[in-house]
Amino acid sequence: MSYKAPRRYSNGRKFGVERQQDFAADIAPRRPYENKGPNKWSRNLVWTASDANKPRKNGNTYMSTKPQVSGAGALVSNKQRKDSAYVQRSSSVSDTRGWGSNDKGSPKSKECVCKFWKAGNCKKGDQCSFLHSWTCLPGLVMVAALEGHKKDLKGIALPQGSDKLFSAGSDGTLRIWDCHTGQCVHTINLQAEAGSLICEGPWVFLGLPNAVKAFNVQTSKDLHLNGAVGQVHAITVGNGMLFAGTSSGSISVWKATDSKSDPFTYLTSLEGHHSSEVTCFIVGGQRLYSGSVDRTIKVWDLNTLECTMTLRQHTGAVTSLLCWDQYLISSSLDGSIKVWACSDSGSLKVTNTRRQEQSVHTLCGMSDAEGKPIMFCSYQNGTVSICDLPSFEERGKMFSTNTVGAITVGPEGLLFTGDKSGKLRVWNLAGTKV
């Protein structure tokens, strides 16, 4: 596909709220859309080696010297450190791979938001022993709450070349928000439940029953891609292809073309692998990873589209996938977060498991202002834990009135979350350099 390079994100996208600090240069935004190279459509810059086709060993640690967080687009250090901005911490590393043990967490993990305050009727005020705040992480503030959706948010997208934010939910609407004012400028009745929403460069992709809608914000090209069987619950792009996972367990594939009239051509459907709904994707190197309600993770070769491996360690539906450095990280309704690394035999093995007291719904990774990797983990009770990698030490939390099912990283330190009630919140992660 040959597109004109989109312009960079506008510095004016503040959602009508004055920010405490302008740190656009400190937080790494999503890597700009580039139309070059064999994997021109990869939205997940994951593996550090240029020829990496899978997680690889590096000595005895399975670590590279410059790990990356998927989607962050910035190199980060893996050394143990003291972070004066977040109070001095010493990581508790339990194995040679550098992943934290199943510790009970920092004192911040004991903090809880007041349920009466969340409902708007706490009578204790400043005397309340619980938090009256949507976050307990220094530097993270909620800058806007966008009201309109009535049900579960399925995706949030901020395409390049646009000053509009897109959101879709199971209420059957697609909403478009002005990034300057935070106002909803357009509501589209989809006449069907949305199952997924992502963006790649100037393209916005929306999962619907038996189809994917594709819209180009630069050319206004509006396409209806047929071929999917069942509700589309997961979408991703990689190696010049668009993938859509459905409720039937199949994965539909379209090939990107150079044709302006027909930019996507239906290629094939990957059938007979997942026995139930495909819930999530991530692309790493030349591999596609798919998670499913059937409790498995399938590993696909992006060059041959063959399933090369099945990972079966979860006992509940797989809800989210994330790639960081040479690792695959997965979450599940079984209440666990698992870290996978490549073994001597070439297969992926679990190297660390974090047990939670409730189901885990969404994972999202980014780098902070100092280039350190952090991960957002959404839990059933509406809490989002913010952890360091690789130690898993908790920095703080975000709170919502319902389970957060969608987390999207934006430019200039912006972060977007959507919960099961349809609430869309915009957050600003302030710089932490000292």
Side-chain angles (χ1 to χ4, degrees), residues 3 20 28 30 52 69 95 118 136 141 150 171 186 189 196 244 251 253 319 357 381 385 423 431:
Y3 298 115
Q20 295 176 331
R30 183 188 296 275
V69 177
D95 56 27
K118 286 200 298 184
C136 62
V141 294
K150 304 302 181 184
D171 60 1
H186 200 40
N189 185 358
S196 180
I251 300 174
V253 187
T319 55
E357 295 180 355
N381 66 355
S385 176
K423 288 185 175 62

Side-chain angles (χ1 to χ4, degrees), residues 76-385:
V76 293
S77 173
N78 182 42
K79 295 180 180 179
Q80 290 183 342
R81 58 193 177 270
K82 295 180 180 179
D83 185 352
S84 57
Y86 289 107
V87 184
Q88 179 175 330
R89 301 187 300 270
S90 58
S91 299
S92 174
V93 181
S94 63
D95 56 27
T96 58
R97 297 176 178 86
W99 292 96
S101 63
N102 291 324
D103 60 292
K104 296 181 180 179
S106 65
K108 287 183 179 179
S109 66
K110 305 294 189 293
E111 296 178 357
C112 296
V113 67
C114 174
K115 64 179 181 180
F116 299 104
W117 177 82
K118 286 200 298 184
N121 58 7
C122 181
K123 299 178 180 180
K124 295 183 178 180
D126 294 338
Q127 303 301 316
C128 184
S129 58
F130 296 97
L131 287 173
H132 283 195
S133 173
W134 293 112
T135 174
C136 62
L137 174 67
L140 179 65
V141 294
M142 187 177 72
V143 298
L146 309 183
E147 302 287 344
H149 285 288
K150 304 302 181 184
K151 293 183 180 179
D152 188 7
L153 270 172
K154 296 297 186 178
I156 306 165
L158 192 64
Q160 289 179 335
S162 173
D163 60 355
K164 300 296 188 294
L165 178 75
F166 293 72
S167 62
S170 56
D171 60 1
T173 66
L174 172 69
R175 289 182 176 269
I176 303 174
W177 311 83
D178 188 294
C179 294
H180 302 285
T181 65
Q183 299 298 311
C184 180
V185 296
H186 200 40
T187 301
I188 300 173
N189 185 358
L190 301 173
Q191 298 182 335
E193 180 177 326
S196 180
L197 178 74
I198 70 163
C199 65
E200 179 66 22
W203 285 98
V204 177
F205 299 103
L206 174 67
L208 296 171
N210 305 310
V212 172
K213 290 285 289 184
F215 179 76
N216 190 304
V217 299
Q218 292 182 349
T219 65
S220 297
K221 189 76 172 180
D222 191 357
L223 304 173
H224 188 87
L225 307 180
N226 293 311
V229 178
Q231 172 74 56
V232 175
H233 288 289
I235 307 174
T236 196
V237 292
N239 203 28
M241 291 175 285
L242 170 69
F243 299 90
T246 72
S247 57
S248 67
S250 64
I251 300 174
S252 298
V253 187
W254 292 265
K255 183 72 175 178
T257 72
D258 293 322
S259 171
K260 292 183 179 179
S261 60
D262 188 20
F264 305 100
T265 299
Y266 181 75
L267 188 61
T268 187
S269 179
L270 308 179
E271 306 275 357
H273 296 278
H274 285 298
S275 61
S276 189
E277 173 186 324
V278 177
T279 55
C280 52
F281 286 126
I282 196 72
V283 171
Q286 290 301 304
R287 283 180 167 183
L288 168 72
Y289 302 88
S290 60
S292 171
V293 171
D294 67 11
R295 301 176 291 181
T296 69
I297 300 168
K298 300 288 183 178
V299 184
W300 308 83
D301 187 311
L302 282 176
N303 295 309
T304 64
L305 295 183
E306 294 181 350
C307 181
T308 61
M309 207 178 307
T310 300
L311 311 180
R312 304 180 184 276
Q313 292 297 312
H314 282 294
T315 58
V318 179
T319 55
S320 189
L321 297 169
L322 183 69
C323 284
W324 177 74
D325 185 32
Q326 309 306 317
Y327 295 94
L328 173 70
I329 307 175
S330 60
S331 66
S332 170
L333 294 183
D334 63 14
S336 71
I337 299 173
K338 293 184 181 294
V339 181
W340 307 76
C342 191
S343 66
D344 293 329
S345 64
S347 61
L348 288 173
K349 299 293 185 182
V350 174
T351 62
N352 186 271
T353 298
R354 299 282 294 185
R355 298 289 180 186
Q356 309 298 326
E357 295 180 355
Q358 54 192 311
S359 56
V360 189
H361 288 257
T362 307
L363 303 176
C364 181
M366 67 180 294
S367 296
D368 68 9
E370 296 180 334
K372 299 171 184 176
I374 54 177
M375 182 171 68
F376 297 82
C377 311
S378 166
Y379 302 130
Q380 177 69 32
N381 66 355
T383 299
V384 179
S385 176

